[in-house]
Amino acid sequence: MRRRVTFIHGPDDTFDEDQFRVGNNSVHIQSLVAAREERLTFALHELPQELWKVLKQCRELRLRWGTSHPYRSPSPFASRIAPGLHIFFGPQIGRTKFSWLTSGSNLLYPFLHKVFGERRICDPVEESGGNLKKAYTRTLVDPEHLSQSATFQCYVNLSSLTDLVTYLQQKICPKSSKTCYARAAALQFADYIDLDYEDSSQTVVLTSLWHRPPLEQETWIETISDSHEKGPVEVGVLANELSVRAGEVSLGGFLVVIGKDERPISGETDLEAPDWLVSKWGSTVLFELAPPYSSSKSDQAWHATLPLHFRYLPPTADGVHEDDVPWPLVFWACPAEGDTEMSVNPFDRVNLGYEGFFGQRTVYYHLQPQPAEEDVHLMERLKVPVLKFSSMRSVEFETLAAVLIGTMWILWVMMRSLFIAGKQITPRKKTQ
C-alpha cells in the first residue's frame, strides 16, 4: 500500500517551516490551516477476498461520493459532483448486457449493499407483471471517448458513510491498529471520497478530501508515521503560486518521503548556511521576464538584472574565491492556439528540466547567446571576496576582544543603572 498526504494552504495563510518537522520515521504537522487530501493505493492482493472477487468482474469501477454540506473547494480540488453516491461500472468483456447485471453471478450488488448499508442500492427490482426495473443506465458519451468511460452508471441519495467506515475498520484495518481505525472514522467528515479501479493497473485508489479539520479542530495537528504502513508514505505541504501560463495550476512547497528524506525537499532553503555545511549541489530557478513596453517595433536591446547571493566560502591565500556560473538559458514559451496541430520533431530534445512548468502544447523559441570574441565559454567567472588565511588569527582575536569588551560594557551599564536607582530611593529624615 502506498499513502500520499497533501496539505494545500491558501496564499493568505501563514506557514512556517517549523510547522512541518521531519523526523527519522515521521512528519509532525503543527497548527496548519489547510485543506487535506489523502490518497491510498492498494494492490489487489492487499484487499479482502470478497472485494477482490468483485473487482475481477470489472473492467473498471469508479465510486464518487459527495457531501451535502456546503464547503469551499480549494484549488486544485475545484471539481464537484452532486451530493450522494455515484457509481460508474464497466463489466469485463462479455458481461455488458443488462441480463448479466440481474443474474445471481453478479457480485457487485451484495458488495455495495454491505459496504454502504443501503438495502436496494442500484439493484434491479421486480415490478408488477414480472418485469425488471433497470437501476443502472447506460453511460452516454461521445463514441470517440467510449473507451474512457464506464458502461453503466447509477446514483443513490446517500448522506451517511457510517457503514463504509465500519467495513473499512473490520475488513481493511489490522485489529491492533488504532491509527487505522481513527483514519477510517475521519471519512465520515470528508467532503468527497473517490474509489477507482481499472483492470489494466490492478490497483485500487481511495482518495478523500477535507477542506478543514474535522469536528471542532481549527488547525491540523498530528504526527504522520510510516511505522504502521507496508509501503512508502509521502507527505506534502503546498500552496498555490502564480502560474507561468494563464489557466494552469502552479504549486510550490515541501515534499518528503518518510524514512528517506531528512528535511523538506525545496532546494537549500537555509541561505545563511556556509558552503561547507551544505550537502546538496544547489538550486535551479525559473524567472519570467517582463519586456519593456514599446509602441515601435524596434530591435532596441534591453537588460534584465538577476541579483545573486553567495554563501560564506572557505578562506583562501589571496582572499579571493573564483567560481564559474553558467550563462542563463533564455527562451520564449508560447502556448499553441486553439486547435493548432502539434507535430512531433524526432530531433527535438526533451526532459531538459523546465518543460514541467509549461503545458504539452507549448512551442519554445530559444535565444542564441552572443559572447564577445575573447570569450570561448558560455560561463561567467566571478571573483568573490573571502577571508585570507593570514588574517584568520587576527580576526579570531579581534572577534574575541569585541565580545569581551561588549560584555564588560553591558555589565558596567547595568551596574551604573542599579547604583543610580539605589541613590534615588535612599530615605530622607523628616523635618518639622
Side-chain angles (χ1 to χ4, degrees):
M1 183 190 77
R2 300 192 305 272
R3 182 186 181 194
R4 189 187 76 185
V5 185
T6 307
F7 296 91
I8 303 291
H9 65 88
D12 299 329
D13 297 328
T14 58
F15 174 73
D16 188 84
E17 191 174 340
D18 292 337
Q19 296 175 261
F20 187 68
R21 298 199 301 270
V22 181
N24 293 331
N25 296 298
S26 64
V27 169
H28 182 69
I29 304 295
Q30 178 66 36
S31 303
L32 180 61
V33 179
R36 172 178 181 157
E37 184 200 59
E38 283 260 4
R39 176 166 295 186
L40 303 176
T41 303
F42 301 88
L44 283 183
H45 69 271
E46 297 176 306
L47 300 174
Q49 185 177 15
E50 61 176 343
L51 177 54
W52 178 83
K53 289 182 178 180
V54 171
L55 295 177
K56 295 299 289 186
Q57 294 185 342
C58 305
R59 186 183 76 252
E60 62 176 318
L61 176 64
R62 305 187 189 279
L63 307 181
R64 302 285 184 264
W65 180 87
T67 180
S68 59
H69 299 287
Y71 69 95
R72 290 188 176 183
S73 302
S75 179
F77 310 122
S79 61
R80 286 176 174 265
I81 59 171
L85 178 64
H86 304 253
I87 302 172
F88 303 91
F89 173 55
Q92 289 286 1
I93 298 176
R95 296 176 173 175
T96 57
K97 296 182 179 180
F98 278 113
S99 58
W100 176 80
L101 291 175
T102 60
S103 66
S105 61
N106 183 356
L107 300 178
L108 181 62
Y109 295 145
F111 170 73
L112 294 177
H113 297 169
K114 184 174 183 179
V115 172
F116 294 102
E118 290 288 331
R119 185 163 177 259
R120 292 196 178 275
I121 180 169
C122 298
D123 194 353
V125 295
E126 186 174 353
E127 295 180 327
S128 59
N131 297 323
L132 288 176
K133 179 181 178 181
K134 299 169 182 177
Y136 279 89
T137 59
R138 287 189 177 273
T139 305
L140 298 178
V141 296
D142 189 324
E144 295 182 359
H145 303 90
L146 184 61
S147 60
Q148 303 175 16
S149 301
T151 307
F152 304 104
Q153 68 180 44
C154 179
Y155 168 78
V156 179
N157 184 5
L158 183 69
S159 59
S160 175
L161 295 178
T162 302
D163 290 273
L164 172 63
V165 171
T166 302
Y167 178 84
L168 294 176
Q169 291 175 338
Q170 294 180 352
K171 298 296 184 178
I172 303 297
C173 292
K175 295 183 179 180
S176 61
S177 178
K178 296 181 179 179
T179 302
C180 183
Y181 273 64
R183 282 161 49 189
L187 293 176
Q188 300 178 77
F189 309 100
D191 298 318
Y192 69 69
I193 296 176
D194 295 346
L195 185 143
D196 294 272
Y197 167 76
E198 292 183 357
D199 62 348
S200 58
S201 64
Q202 295 291 293
T203 58
V204 175
V205 180
L206 180 66
T207 307
S208 51
L209 174 78
W210 296 261
H211 76 284
R212 54 157 295 164
L215 300 177
E216 301 299 325
Q217 291 181 242
E218 295 295 333
T219 61
W220 295 101
I221 303 175
E222 69 172 291
T223 299
I224 302 173
S225 172
D226 67 347
S227 58
H228 300 289
E229 309 294 348
K230 298 181 180 179
V233 180
E234 178 182 308
V235 183
V237 177
L238 307 174
N240 286 282
E241 296 182 343
L242 182 63
S243 178
V244 178
R245 180 183 174 186
E248 290 187 344
V249 176
S250 179
L251 299 173
F254 304 105
L255 290 172
V256 298
V257 178
I258 297 179
K260 294 184 179 180
D261 299 323
E262 299 178 356
R263 57 178 299 169
I265 301 174
S266 185
E268 291 293 349
T269 57
D270 187 0
L271 297 181
E272 298 300 327
D275 180 69
W276 55 87
L277 292 182
V278 176
S279 59
K280 299 180 181 179
W281 64 270
S283 303
T284 58
V285 62
L286 176 67
F287 290 97
E288 182 180 7
L289 304 180
Y293 174 77
S294 177
S295 57
S296 62
K297 296 183 179 180
S298 62
D299 295 333
Q300 183 179 0
W302 54 280
H303 302 273
T305 302
L306 303 179
L308 298 178
H309 173 94
F310 273 87
R311 301 181 181 276
Y312 294 109
L313 300 173
T316 61
D318 58 355
V320 177
H321 177 88
E322 294 187 355
D323 204 350
D324 291 328
V325 179
W327 283 25
L329 178 67
V330 184
F331 58 88
W332 295 96
C334 305
E337 297 181 356
D339 298 329
T340 303
E341 294 186 4
M342 300 286 292
S343 59
V344 178
N345 182 357
F347 304 101
D348 196 11
R349 299 175 66 196
V350 296
N351 300 323
L352 300 178
Y354 53 81
E355 299 100 323
F357 293 97
F358 306 94
Q360 295 182 354
R361 297 171 55 81
T362 302
V363 180
Y364 301 94
Y365 297 93
H366 294 267
L367 276 66
Q368 299 297 327
Q370 297 180 357
E373 294 183 359
E374 62 272 12
D375 294 332
V376 293
H377 299 288
L378 298 180
M379 304 289 290
E380 193 72 22
R381 172 148 294 192
L382 303 179
K383 295 183 178 181
V384 185
V386 296
L387 181 64
K388 291 183 178 181
F389 284 126
S390 59
S391 303
M392 292 180 62
R393 183 69 64 182
S394 61
V395 169
E396 293 177 353
F397 174 78
E398 292 170 0
T399 302
L400 179 60
V403 172
L404 292 176
I405 294 174
T407 303
M408 294 177 64
W409 181 80
I410 294 175
L411 292 175
W412 179 81
V413 171
M414 294 175 60
M415 295 298 294
R416 182 172 176 272
S417 300
L418 292 174
F419 177 75
I420 295 175
K423 290 184 62 177
Q424 290 179 347
I425 63 175
T426 301
R428 297 181 179 180
K429 294 181 178 181
K430 295 183 178 181
T431 58
Q432 296 182 350

